[in-house]
Amino acid sequence: MQRIYDTRERAKVELQLREPGKVGIYACGVTVYDLCHVGHARTLVAFDVIARHLRRSGLEVRLVRNITDVDDKIIRRGHAEGKTAAEVARFYADAMAADMAALGVAVPDAEPRATEHIQDMIDVIRRLEERGLAYAAEGDVYYSVAGFPSYGALSGQSPDALQSGARIEVGEHKRSPLDFTLWKGAKPGEPAWESPWGPGRPGWHIECSAMAHRYLGDSFDIHGGGSDLIFPHHENEIAQSEGAFGSFARHWMHSGMVNFGGEKMSKSLGNVVTIRKVAETHDLEALRLLLISVHYRSPVNFTIARDAAGAAVYPDLDEAEARLDYFYRTLERLDAFLAPLGNITDKLPPSELAIHVGSAMEDDFNTAAAIGHLYDAFVLSNKLLDDAKALPKPQRQQTLAAIARDARGIGETLGIMRRPPAEFLLARRGRLCARRGIDPAAVEAKIAERSAARVAKDFGRADELRAELKTTGVELMDGPTGTAWRVI
């Protein structure tokens, strides 16, 4: 039984599907006016994992994630760069697609762009006008919050409380400070489309109402996004969609923010780290692991420090990458152990790992607990690999085979451990060598010298060479096929 935390209910509830076996999800996407940062990754990875888990549970998932490609920020960026808003949006939408692919976020089932659905937005606004929930004023169109008594239910705020903090900006012609823009009248130098109220462009909130309705219908199962969207964006979406169509999303889910020094990561605070900046020094799979090592509703700490040269370093990412290294090394050991045994997993029941992780994911997609169970299973695996007498031979082989099989299945759900272990480990070793000034060729030369010393039975010299390498941060690992090494 899948349980989720419903923001509107403020409680964990059983996932109630509109149509058995199928789940429709609308997850708010990115406004494409700049490169995606770690905060974007937080939300997109969270809903990627949610969709992956539901699919592996046997559900037919339709995930819709929009792209906002017309917005004040896009227009300002275009003016600053001497480009049209459309050119800015295309460039950063393409950059976002590349970043998401690098982060292992699957392409959604539908990824509508706002500018492709202007008529849909106009149609929704006209429905709201017909129901007395929208009014035109000086070329703009506003939503009349007074006509929607349940406004504020998602964020847990009463209209009266919201009213006390609202105000009417210069140039607005609203009847009430709480009313919000559905359509903006055209201004010089801005993109505009024809409408019943004159040329203009849509407000931000109406985009998602129109596109969710277009791709998922009047009512669907889950609406999600970052917790910073609860108010006003999602609150306004509910007012628009329920006002126009009578129903909207059955469940609401929201991911936590990324914190830097106890503050939310945001451009206004100047503490934004882009996904591409992370990729300069770390494997993006480590970023993904960092994000899912915390429950999706909780904040993620992303510490930024400085090294001796003043360059930014990310201790939390270092820790996540070290854990990922441990996961891949364990998989590599498991693969080597199991290779001579052939396929012995077909008739094996689910491991305790699979059972525990399944329970964790069914309890509101608790990836933090899932990662903990995965780590415990790998600790057990290494103990069994090190001690051939820990269990009777058949039981030992079956236990390790089941863990290896189920760990990779869990990796598919979480979006980690999907590469051959050697590919990740060699790439990480190369990055660490570059960061620490280690010459791989010099390391290989010393390993060759050490091998020669061992052949000559000069074990004292062999030990000296091992110690020399260790002082530079290089650890040697002798095995039946030779000597491997890693940066520690």
Side-chain angles (χ1 to χ4, degrees):
M1 180 180 68
Q2 182 66 55
R3 291 175 60 78
I4 67 172
Y5 184 89
D6 191 316
T7 304
R8 202 169 190 175
E9 298 293 331
R10 291 168 183 75
K12 286 183 187 177
V13 299
E14 184 178 348
L15 175 61
Q16 299 287 339
L17 299 180
R18 191 171 48 87
E19 185 177 351
K22 297 182 179 181
V23 55
I25 305 174
Y26 187 93
C28 282
V30 176
T31 300
V32 285
Y33 72 99
D34 206 342
L35 294 174
C36 287
H37 54 69
V38 173
H40 294 129
R42 169 61 165 154
T43 299
L44 297 180
V45 166
F47 283 92
D48 181 61
V49 171
I50 288 168
R52 286 173 183 271
H53 171 69
L54 293 174
R55 285 192 174 103
R56 286 186 68 85
S57 300
L59 294 173
E60 181 182 329
V61 177
R62 180 165 174 76
L63 174 62
V64 180
R65 190 182 71 216
N66 71 296
I67 293 176
T68 296
D69 61 348
V70 57
D71 178 85
D72 291 341
K73 294 175 181 177
I74 297 172
I75 294 168
R76 287 196 294 268
R77 187 67 178 252
H79 289 162
E81 297 182 357
K83 299 176 182 177
T84 66
E87 289 171 333
V88 169
R90 278 196 298 271
F91 178 84
Y92 287 111
D94 289 345
M96 179 193 69
D99 289 345
M100 291 306 105
L103 195 55
V105 173
V107 176
D109 300 288
E111 195 169 31
R113 302 189 182 206
T115 56
E116 298 170 350
H117 296 278
I118 301 297
Q119 187 58 52
D120 293 313
M121 299 172 206
I122 291 172
D123 291 343
V124 176
I125 296 171
R126 294 188 72 175
R127 288 176 69 96
L128 291 171
E129 274 192 318
E130 293 168 1
R131 288 158 176 72
L133 290 171
Y135 59 92
E138 301 296 325
D140 298 329
V141 182
Y142 297 97
Y143 186 95
S144 180
V145 170
F148 192 75
S150 62
Y151 189 79
L154 181 69
S155 56
Q157 305 176 80
S158 69
D160 289 341
L162 291 169
Q163 180 86 22
S164 65
R167 62 195 180 105
I168 298 176
E169 301 289 345
V170 175
E172 292 184 322
H173 304 279
K174 300 190 291 188
R175 296 173 183 169
S176 164
L178 277 184
D179 294 350
F180 55 88
T181 306
L182 300 171
W183 186 264
K184 298 182 178 183
K187 295 180 182 178
E190 294 188 355
W193 290 263
E194 290 300 323
S195 81
W197 314 282
R201 60 186 174 91
W204 175 37
H205 312 298
I206 197 65
E207 296 176 8
C208 288
S209 284
M211 290 186 283
H213 180 261
R214 172 69 179 273
Y215 288 89
L216 294 171
D218 292 358
S219 178
F220 55 95
D221 303 295
I222 297 172
H223 195 314
S227 58
D228 57 332
L229 299 181
I230 294 174
F231 186 87
H233 185 51
H234 288 166
E235 198 77 75
N236 291 352
E237 277 192 70
I238 290 173
Q240 293 165 162
S241 296
E242 293 188 0
F245 304 108
S247 61
F248 195 38
R250 178 169 290 180
H251 299 292
W252 287 84
M253 300 177 65
H254 293 92
S255 61
M257 296 290 97
V258 175
N259 285 343
F260 162 71
E263 297 177 321
K264 184 183 79 170
M265 182 174 286
S266 70
K267 288 184 171 64
S268 62
L269 294 174
N271 58 7
V272 170
V273 178
T274 66
I275 294 169
R276 295 189 178 192
K277 186 66 176 176
V278 170
E280 291 176 6
T281 54
H282 291 77
D283 194 300
L284 287 180
E285 192 175 335
L287 173 58
R288 188 176 179 110
L289 179 60
L290 172 63
L291 297 174
I292 64 174
S293 293
V294 177
H295 191 281
Y296 79 89
R297 287 190 285 113
S298 300
V300 175
N301 291 324
F302 190 93
T303 307
I304 304 175
R306 299 286 169 181
D307 63 14
V313 293
Y314 313 117
D316 299 306
L317 268 178
D318 289 339
E319 183 178 335
E321 192 163 279
R323 176 166 285 198
L324 195 59
D325 183 285
Y326 177 74
F327 287 171
Y328 272 114
R329 286 192 183 281
T330 303
L331 282 177
E332 188 174 54
R333 293 191 71 194
L334 285 167
D335 290 347
F337 173 81
L338 295 169
L341 304 181
N343 182 13
I344 64 171
T345 62
D346 284 349
K347 296 182 180 180
L348 293 180
S351 64
E352 287 191 15
L353 167 64
I355 294 169
H356 290 321
V357 170
S359 296
M361 293 299 288
E362 288 176 2
D363 184 16
D364 194 30
F365 311 99
N366 192 343
T367 57
I371 295 296
H373 292 309
L374 189 63
Y375 180 78
D376 290 343
F378 279 2
V379 169
L380 172 62
S381 296
N382 282 302
K383 287 180 178 178
L384 294 178
L385 288 166
D386 291 338
D387 185 359
K389 297 180 180 180
L391 289 173
K393 184 176 179 180
Q395 185 180 352
R396 177 170 172 259
Q397 291 176 343
Q398 291 171 10
T399 299
L400 291 171
I403 289 175
R405 176 199 62 196
D406 294 342
R408 281 199 161 91
I410 291 162
E412 284 295 321
T413 297
L414 300 179
I416 59 174
M417 303 186 305
R418 292 183 293 168
R419 288 176 280 177
E423 180 183 320
F424 169 85
L425 295 170
L426 288 173
R428 180 168 189 255
R429 190 177 76 181
R431 283 192 306 276
L432 290 176
C433 284
R435 286 170 62 182
R436 301 182 189 181
I438 297 171
D439 181 0
V443 172
E444 295 288 354
K446 283 189 178 292
I447 290 174
E449 182 183 349
R450 177 174 174 268
S451 296
R454 295 176 74 189
V455 170
K457 300 190 182 301
D458 188 353
F459 298 113
R461 178 55 180 160
D463 290 343
E464 287 176 5
L465 289 165
R466 175 190 282 274
E468 286 177 20
L469 286 170
K470 191 166 186 178
T471 61
T472 67
V474 173
E475 179 182 59
L476 302 186
M477 298 165 289
D478 294 319
T481 59
T483 300
W485 61 280
R486 67 172 181 162
V487 179
I488 55 176

